[in-house]
């Protein structure tokens, strides 16, 4: 099975150092730097809720510069599209 979640990560210090550590985790399938309350958003894929809890507690919260993690568990896929094409402003 697959248990996919979006995690919102707030850092203290240099966000790029946290991002570098997050990119090494095999469960992380997507990572972006963002502006606002959070510094990094990642998507993780786990076997089940217990695996997700282990990743959050043991792999992510154990990174020194991680201040907090908010977990958004995907309940139902409503849309998935990779057909974004060319943005109108880039023509």
């Amino acid at each position: 099975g697959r248990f996919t979640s979006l995690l919102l990560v707030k850092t203290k210090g240099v966000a790029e150092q946290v991002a570098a550590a997050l990119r090494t985790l095999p469960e992380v399938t997507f990572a972006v730097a963002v502006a606002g309350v959070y510094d990094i958003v990642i998507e993780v894929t786990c076997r089940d809720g217990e695996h997700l809890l282990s990743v959050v507690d043991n792999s992510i919260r154990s990174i020194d510069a991680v201040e907090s993690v908010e977990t958004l568990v995907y309940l139902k896929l409503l849309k998935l599209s990779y057909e974004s094409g060319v943005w109108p402003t880039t023509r």
Side-chain angles (χ1 to χ4, degrees):
R2 289 171 35 129
F3 198 77
T4 305
S5 302
L6 197 67
L7 277 59
L8 311 173
V9 182
K10 188 183 293 186
T11 66
K12 47 189 173 195
V14 181
E16 181 52 42
Q17 292 172 347
V18 174
L22 293 172
R23 287 192 300 265
T24 68
L25 301 176
E27 294 86 359
V28 173
T29 58
F30 175 80
V32 292
V34 296
V37 175
Y38 299 96
D39 302 299
I40 302 167
V41 173
I42 60 173
E43 183 178 76
V44 297
T45 300
C46 299
R47 291 182 303 278
D48 51 31
E50 188 174 336
H51 184 202
L52 174 62
L53 180 60
S54 174
V55 169
V56 171
D57 281 348
N58 302 325
S59 299
I60 298 173
R61 287 192 174 127
S62 66
I63 300 169
D64 287 336
V66 169
E67 184 176 322
S68 67
V69 179
E70 185 169 340
T71 305
L72 307 171
V73 176
Y74 295 178
L75 299 176
K76 180 180 178 183
L77 180 63
L78 302 174
K79 180 178 179 178
L80 178 63
S81 174
Y82 293 105
E83 298 180 22
S84 60
V86 177
W87 291 96
T89 57
T90 61
R91 292 181 193 195

